[in-house]
Structures are given as C-alpha cells and as structure tokens.
Amino acid sequence: MKVLILGGGQLARMLVLAAAPLGIRCQVVDPAAESCAAEVAPWHRIEWAALPEHRELLAWADVITYESEFVPTAVLSALATQHKVAPSAEVLQLSGDRWHEKQWLSRLGVPVAPHRCIDSLADLQAATAELGFPCFLKWRQQGYDGKGQWRLQAESDLAAVWQAAQGRPAILEAGIAFEREVSLIASRRAGGELVCYPLTENRHQEGILIHSRPLRDDPLQAAAEAHARRLMQAVNYVGTLAIEFFVADGQLMANEVAPRVHNSGHWTLEGAETSQFANHLRAICDWPLGSPQLLAPTLMLNLIGSWPAESLALAEQGAHLHLYGKAPRPGRKVGHLTLRASSEGELMSRWLRVQTILARRSAAPLP
Amino acid sequence: MKVLILGGGQLARMLVLAAAPLGIRCQVVDPAAESCAAEVAPWHRIEWAALPEHRELLAWADVITYESEFVPTAVLSALATQHKVAPSAEVLQLSGDRWHEKQWLSRLGVPVAPHRCIDSLADLQAATAELGFPCFLKWRQQGYDGKGQWRLQAESDLAAVWQAAQGRPAILEAGIAFEREVSLIASRRAGGELVCYPLTENRHQEGILIHSRPLRDDPLQAAAEAHARRLMQAVNYVGTLAIEFFVADGQLMANEVAPRVHNSGHWTLEGAETSQFANHLRAICDWPLGSPQLLAPTLMLNLIGSWPAESLALAEQGAHLHLYGKAPRPGRKVGHLTLRASSEGELMSRWLRVQTILARRSAAPLP
C-alpha cells in the first residue's frame, strides 16, 4: 500500500515510522519551510491550493490521509472526487471549524459547553452577558496549542481581546469548572469495525498538553465510547480520531474533536497492544484493526521547548524517548517521553525522578 | 547523533526505524543492487573497497556500525583509524571466520563442538576419521542461512561435498545430538554496562530460522550470561551481539557469534522493554542501556519466501507484522510476525491459528 500524508509534522513522522513495518510506503506533503517527517519519507513542499495539479503524486497513492487540520477542506474535497481520502473532507469540515463542530456534536447528543457564534464586538458583548465570566473566545478555525484562544475575566477585557483576535470569526464558550480533562482515541474502518483506547487523562499548561495517562477501567469509559461510536458512525469515519472531554460534575462534556492521530494518544506506542498510528494506517488501508488494550501502566510527558540530554532521559528504566527532529524553540513540542512500568506505584516513582531531570533541563535549556 | 550503517538489509532497516525516535539520523552503505533500508534512510551504493575514499560521508557520521558480516575487516580496520567504529573491526575478524571464532570461544572457556580446520580433501578425510559421522563442513567465511554448509553422512559423501564447497577454506564440525537451540542477545557499552535478554529458543528449517521464543527463567540463563559477559569484556565489545548455542546433555555449547543485532532478537521489538535495535544504538552512542526485561509471552515467526495477505495476518489479535520491503523469492526472509499475548496459553492458541494462515499462504504463494 502507498499512503500520501498531508502535513509533515511529528504526527506524519510517527505515521511513517509505523507504516514501514506494515510494508506501507509513505510520502508527505507540507507547504511549510521545513518538515520533520522528511528525515523518514520523501517530502514535497507544495502549497495546498496547488496540490490537485500534482497528478502523478496523487495517482501514486492508494489512499490520501492528513495529519494537519490546516489542509483547506476545498482542496481535500477536490482530491476526493478522484482519490480515496480518509478521513473524509466532510469530517475535516465539521471538526475544523469550532462552530460547525459544536453543532455536529450537539446534533448527535454529545454534551458541549454553552457557546455562541461571534462575528462582531457586539456579538461578544451580548454573548458574555448571557454566558458570564470567566469565558473563552476561540477562533473558529486555525487555533491550536492555546493559540487563537483568549480567556475573558471581566467586561473590561472585551475590547482588548476582540482586537487581539483580529476580529476573526470566533465562538465564545462558557468557562467550565471541570474536575479533569480526558480524551478518547478511537479507530474505525469503513465497514464499521471500531476500537476504542482506554480513556486518557490529560494535563495542559498554557494551552499545551504536558502529560497524558491512560486510565484502567475508568467509570466514564462506556459513555465516552458511546459518544465516539455515534460520531464516527454518523460520518462513516475511517481512521483514528480523538475526542477531548472536560469532566464536570462527573459527566463528560466534549471540548473538541481531532480527526487524526492525537498527542494524547502517543502513549499507545509503548502502552497499548497496537499504537494509534498503526491503527490509523490499518483503518485507512481497510485492514483488520489491532487491539487497543493497555499493556502496562504508562505515562506520556511532552518535551516542550527543549529536551533533556539523552544520557539523562534514558537513564531512567522504562523511559522511552521520542524526538521529532525539530529545532528547540520556546513553547514548541520537540518530543515526548513515555514511561512504562509494571505497577502504578513504580510508574509514579519513575515519574517523580524524571520530573527532576526535566526541571534540570528547564534551568539550563539546550541551545 | 549521526550513524552510518554498513549493510542495507532488514537489520539496517529496523535499526533506522529504532533510531528515528531517539533523534539519531542514519545513512546506509551497501554495494548490492538494492537495499530495503533505502525506503527509510539515504542509501549509498558503494563497493566496500571504495568506502574509505568517501571522506565526506564518513566524516558526517559520529559513529560507524555494521549489520552485515560481509564488510571486509581490512576496510573496517582502515575506517577505524580515523573514525569511531562499533563493534570493532577486531570483533568482526574474530566472528567472521569460523576457525578464528572457535579459537576465540575456546580460549575464553566457552564450550564448542569438536572441530578441525580444513584446507584440502586430505584434511577432510583425516578430520572425518577423527570426528565421525554425521558431521558438517562449513565455509570459514561468508556462509549464512544454511548457505556454505554441508552435512556429511558417510565417507562416500566426501568428494562430492568438497567439490560443492569449491575447495574454499572450511572447518569440519562434529554433529551434535542437541536437545534444543537457544540464543542469547546482549548489549554492552564501552564503560562495561551490559544487559542480557532472556534466552531465546530457536527452530531452524533447512538452515533458516523459522521461529524464536523468549524463555522466562530458563535454568541455563545464568550460564549463557556468563559466557556473553566474558566474550564481550575480552574485546571491549560495544553494541548488540548474539551467541547461538546448542543445548546438549543439558549444557550450552556455542555454535556461533553474530556481532550485530540478530534475527533471534526480533521478538524484542514487542516483547521486551527495550528492543535489541534501540539498545544497539544506545550502546554505540554511549547512552544508558534500556531494560531487556520480557514484557509478555511472545513468539516471532519468520516469513520466508512470501507473506500472507495483511488482512489475514493482522486479523489475529496480538499479531504484529514486520515486512522488509523485499520482493518475495523462495528461501528469502521477507518479513516476520510477532505474536504477543497475556499468557502462554493464549500465545499458543494464537500461534496455532497463525500457522493455519501461513500454511494457506504456502499453498498459494503471492506473486
């Protein structure tokens, strides 16, 4: 099988590494000035709008997939008229716009936070009056890792935030006093075969995921799976998807849907019988899906801005390093570290020791 | 770190895939007409003798390693005068010649089968008179997967076998009535840090490994580790190594040493905390080694000649497919399948089902 991946970041890189053992060959498209997937697969620097003209490259692929939500849906729709595209352009259209996404989720009975569509400062004033403070203004499109999001504390914030948001189409979301954040990763084949990974608990700092931990037998697992199943069936979803939830009053409330492999599923590389990357590929190739079963207590820590010396990171037994080949830069995800242990207690001990190592790195960041 | 790998077969391919997450970049050299590592790393088709002239490529590398024992030791020695080479040229010289290898093992007190050095038909006649039948004539150099090996049943075989062996320098080995074949994979850093994987039981068919299974708490584990430690310390070994043993009368008898990652260690990709590939790279980069601990009951099956349809191979839960990107050809290792399960009983059930799938493939080989 031959797969063309749209987007050339670390998700593409990890897809390529998971594809090789399955005998799947990949090529990558990304218009950016660099691609960290280029170390492991041929990279084509092509503007999205120009992609449909690259007929030879498109014809090479048995299936076209994406790891970036920044691919214009119009381009994806154009490709889909002549090529197999998975997940579909329709899915990207639903999930790539926060307003459409909320409508989609609500329509299917998946609870979401109270929200309003914002096109003007007047809209924002009216909406904050209804939803109260704190609340969040978020661009409908193109935001990620806390970018394109603003917290509003009081009416006096409105004008400044609206200016910072450059008047772009947005939504306002009520602030949810959540107890914890979890995500569900699921993979589905066209025929309906579907696997759900254990719910994962996530912590964010300044909008960026800092760590994820799969939960064994969480009481909300069944409810989360039911939501995923409904969403995926409704659009005949093909591939891996992530749903981020808040847990408030012990209930799930969907925050957003990512129609792709997801940072909160990176632990599956070591912690699950089959990784989210392998299952995404198996799904889009229409091969049987692998078991999502948790193998052992596992924790994933993002390496943000820089990474510790390999000799420090690897000194901890059960630590697995994943670097993305990206230059260090403040706030940039440059890799992750997975810890695996034979018991929860051992995992916590490892985590404490590794936190010390990571703190040392922050004190003296690498060049 | 930047690693230049000499040899571009499946071992190089799997090294490259293990290197990427560690932030290690690889390039591959192989004079052959094709390289299955070329899909995942830049491949340079260079004759071994010409390699020392490629100064820019050599200078690019922080360390040079090899996955093929066919690299001439003279070339490796020449490279080692100006570059870091691991494992050393000395090691390849010892292990790359069956006569030297037997001398090395015996000198260090590792038991080997009775054997004689053979340079002529007269040598062969004298040696068979001493060692009896059955016995094995093996080329001193360049044999693998049963190639360059002949079984002698009776004196009447001598002339024909000597002709088939083209009179090349060889050894004669007494036939050992062994109970089982096992191998030990170990990794060592320059400073002496050393890890040994669980002993692995192997089955061969026509000289080719067909399956490997790691053993939990085998009574011969400690003895095998002592042998590995002695061999590796004696040559300040750096990297991963395999020792193949016969078990006869409940005792280990070394058959051969491979100074590289080894087919009987492929199960470590799913079955061990750290794979033999990752530990080879960590050793040659002088980073801390990872735990060799067995994670779960595991079995590795070689795919020889052809592979089953992915939809069949992956339908068995806990089956992990590894294809090497090689064209199918009788007797050629084109991939392997690892089975992992939560109990030995479940593993055996999976194995039985997969054998049925593989038998079906043999009945109707793929093009």
Side-chain angles (χ1 to χ4, degrees):
Chain A
M1 292 290 277
K2 297 191 281 294
V3 173
L4 187 65
I5 304 173
L6 309 186
Q10 63 263 28
L11 301 178
R13 182 181 167 105
M14 288 185 271
L15 281 169
V16 170
L17 295 176
L22 295 171
I24 299 169
R25 282 155 64 203
C26 297
Q27 297 196 65
V28 169
V29 173
D30 199 310
E34 52 180 6
S35 163
C36 68
E39 274 180 23
V40 288
W43 161 44
H44 304 273
R45 190 177 177 189
I46 298 172
E47 292 300 327
W48 296 129
L51 184 55
E53 295 155 30
H54 290 259
R55 295 208 188 113
E56 208 173 321
L57 180 62
L58 298 170
W60 169 88
D62 294 308
V63 52
I64 301 171
T65 190
Y66 48 93
E67 61 100 76
S68 163
E69 284 151 281
F70 295 173
V71 182
T73 49
V75 170
L76 211 58
S77 299
L79 300 182
T81 59
Q82 300 195 32
H83 305 278
K84 182 179 168 189
V85 174
S88 69
E90 181 201 356
V91 162
L92 186 62
Q93 192 150 30
L94 289 171
S95 67
D97 178 304
R98 289 181 188 278
W99 176 247
H100 294 159
E101 185 180 43
K102 289 275 192 286
Q103 306 290 103
W104 177 39
L105 290 162
S106 302
R107 201 164 57 235
L108 290 169
V110 182
V112 295
H115 59 278
R116 296 290 180 275
C117 190
I118 307 294
D119 286 313
S120 65
L121 183 56
D123 285 349
L124 185 59
Q125 284 160 336
T128 49
E130 281 186 275
L131 300 184
F133 295 94
C135 55
F136 294 85
L137 185 75
K138 299 179 178 180
W139 282 343
R140 282 173 57 170
Q141 297 182 330
Q142 305 278 327
Y144 70 102
D145 283 355
K147 286 171 191 132
Q149 300 193 9
W150 295 266
R151 184 184 161 92
L152 294 113
Q153 302 267 43
E155 226 178 306
S156 54
D157 291 343
L158 265 61
V161 163
W162 185 243
Q163 192 171 20
Q166 300 159 39
R168 282 167 61 169
I171 61 162
L172 189 79
E173 263 181 44
I176 299 296
F178 58 84
E179 294 126 34
R180 53 193 182 116
E181 290 177 274
V182 297
S183 59
L184 188 83
I185 310 283
S187 305
R188 186 180 180 278
R189 273 173 90 180
E193 189 188 344
L194 188 150
V195 295
C196 293
Y197 287 88
L199 267 178
T200 300
E201 185 162 325
N202 305 310
R203 285 263 183 287
H204 291 82
Q205 213 163 54
E206 292 163 27
I208 304 180
L209 182 67
I210 53 164
H211 69 248
S212 293
R213 186 172 73 97
L215 305 167
R216 202 179 284 274
D217 304 324
D218 191 87
L220 292 171
Q221 181 75 31
E225 290 192 9
H227 292 325
R229 193 170 292 273
R230 216 152 51 239
L231 285 176
M232 293 173 102
Q233 276 176 352
V235 292
N236 193 17
Y237 193 93
V238 175
T240 292
L241 152 153
I243 313 176
E244 292 186 274
F245 296 99
F246 299 125
V247 179
D249 294 326
Q251 299 297 314
L252 293 169
M253 185 175 275
N255 177 29
E256 58 182 71
V257 176
R260 52 169 171 80
V261 288
H262 191 257
N263 195 168
S264 71
H266 290 359
W267 65 265
T268 60
L269 281 167
E270 286 87 13
E273 181 63 46
T274 316
S275 79
Q276 64 166 347
F277 304 99
N279 263 341
H280 181 72
L281 294 159
R282 288 161 73 151
I284 66 174
C285 292
D286 204 24
W287 293 341
L289 301 179
S291 162
Q293 200 185 322
L294 185 62
L295 284 179
T298 303
L299 182 85
M300 190 286 309
L301 295 147
N302 270 342
L303 300 172
I304 298 164
S306 67
W307 57 90
E310 292 82 358
S311 55
L312 286 175
L314 298 171
E316 182 60 44
Q317 289 295 292
H320 297 269
L321 185 63
H322 296 263
L323 297 180
Y324 305 153
K326 290 160 83 171
R329 190 193 298 160
R332 193 181 206 196
K333 290 178 189 166
V334 292
H336 73 269
L337 200 61
T338 311
L339 303 179
R340 183 167 58 184
S342 56
S343 72
E344 291 289 345
E346 191 179 71
L347 183 65
M348 289 305 118
S349 305
R350 288 186 177 169
W351 187 15
L352 285 173
R353 283 192 296 264
V354 165
Q355 281 181 318
T356 312
I357 292 167
L358 295 182
R360 215 180 294 159
R361 167 202 57 151
S362 308
L366 294 182
Chain B
M1 292 290 278
K2 298 191 281 293
V3 172
L4 187 65
I5 305 173
L6 309 185
Q10 64 264 27
L11 301 179
R13 181 180 167 106
M14 287 185 272
L15 281 169
V16 170
L17 295 175
L22 294 170
I24 299 169
R25 283 157 60 203
C26 297
Q27 298 195 63
V28 170
V29 173
D30 199 310
E34 52 180 8
S35 163
C36 67
E39 272 179 25
V40 288
W43 162 44
H44 304 271
R45 191 176 176 189
I46 298 172
E47 292 300 325
W48 297 128
L51 183 55
E53 295 155 29
H54 289 259
R55 296 208 187 112
E56 209 173 319
L57 180 62
L58 298 169
W60 169 87
D62 294 307
V63 53
I64 301 171
T65 191
Y66 47 93
E67 61 100 76
S68 163
E69 284 151 280
F70 294 173
V71 182
T73 50
V75 170
L76 211 58
S77 299
L79 300 183
T81 60
Q82 301 194 34
H83 305 279
K84 183 179 168 189
V85 173
S88 69
E90 182 201 355
V91 162
L92 186 62
Q93 192 150 29
L94 289 170
S95 67
D97 178 305
R98 289 183 189 277
W99 177 247
H100 293 157
E101 185 181 42
K102 290 276 193 286
Q103 307 290 102
W104 177 40
L105 290 162
S106 302
R107 201 163 57 235
L108 290 169
V110 182
V112 295
H115 58 279
R116 298 290 181 274
C117 190
I118 307 294
D119 286 314
S120 65
L121 182 56
D123 284 351
L124 184 59
Q125 284 159 337
T128 49
E130 281 186 274
L131 300 183
F133 294 96
C135 54
F136 294 86
L137 186 75
K138 299 179 178 179
W139 281 343
R140 283 173 57 170
Q141 297 182 330
Q142 306 276 329
Y144 70 100
D145 283 354
K147 286 173 189 129
Q149 300 192 9
W150 295 267
R151 184 185 162 93
L152 294 112
Q153 301 268 44
E155 225 178 308
S156 55
D157 291 343
L158 266 60
V161 163
W162 185 243
Q163 193 171 18
Q166 301 160 38
R168 281 167 62 169
I171 62 162
L172 189 78
E173 266 182 42
I176 298 297
F178 58 84
E179 294 126 33
R180 55 195 181 115
E181 290 177 275
V182 297
S183 60
L184 188 82
I185 310 283
S187 306
R188 186 180 181 277
R189 274 172 90 181
E193 189 189 344
L194 189 150
V195 295
C196 294
Y197 287 88
L199 267 178
T200 300
E201 185 161 324
N202 305 310
R203 286 263 184 284
H204 291 83
Q205 215 164 53
E206 293 164 28
I208 304 181
L209 182 67
I210 52 164
H211 69 246
S212 293
R213 186 172 73 97
L215 305 168
R216 203 179 283 273
D217 304 324
D218 191 87
L220 293 171
Q221 181 76 30
E225 290 192 10
H227 292 325
R229 195 170 291 274
R230 218 153 49 240
L231 286 176
M232 293 173 102
Q233 276 175 354
V235 293
N236 193 18
Y237 193 94
V238 174
T240 292
L241 153 153
I243 313 175
E244 291 187 274
F245 296 99
F246 298 124
V247 179
D249 295 326
Q251 299 297 313
L252 293 169
M253 187 175 275
N255 178 27
E256 59 183 74
V257 176
R260 51 170 173 80
V261 289
H262 191 256
N263 195 169
S264 71
H266 289 359
W267 65 264
T268 61
L269 282 167
E270 285 88 12
E273 180 64 46
T274 316
S275 80
Q276 63 165 351
F277 303 99
N279 263 342
H280 182 73
L281 294 159
R282 288 161 74 151
I284 66 174
C285 292
D286 204 24
W287 293 342
L289 302 179
S291 164
Q293 202 185 320
L294 185 62
L295 284 180
T298 303
L299 182 85
M300 190 284 310
L301 296 146
N302 269 342
L303 300 172
I304 298 164
S306 67
W307 58 87
E310 291 81 359
S311 55
L312 286 175
L314 297 171
E316 182 60 44
Q317 289 295 294
H320 297 269
L321 185 63
H322 296 262
L323 297 180
Y324 304 153
K326 290 160 82 171
R329 193 194 297 161
R332 194 181 206 197
K333 290 177 189 167
V334 292
H336 73 268
L337 200 62
T338 310
L339 303 180
R340 183 166 58 184
S342 56
S343 71
E344 291 290 345
E346 190 179 73
L347 184 65
M348 290 306 116
S349 305
R350 286 183 179 172
W351 187 14
L352 285 173
R353 284 192 294 263
V354 165
Q355 280 181 319
T356 313
I357 292 167
L358 295 183
R360 215 179 296 161
R361 166 202 55 151
S362 307
L366 294 181

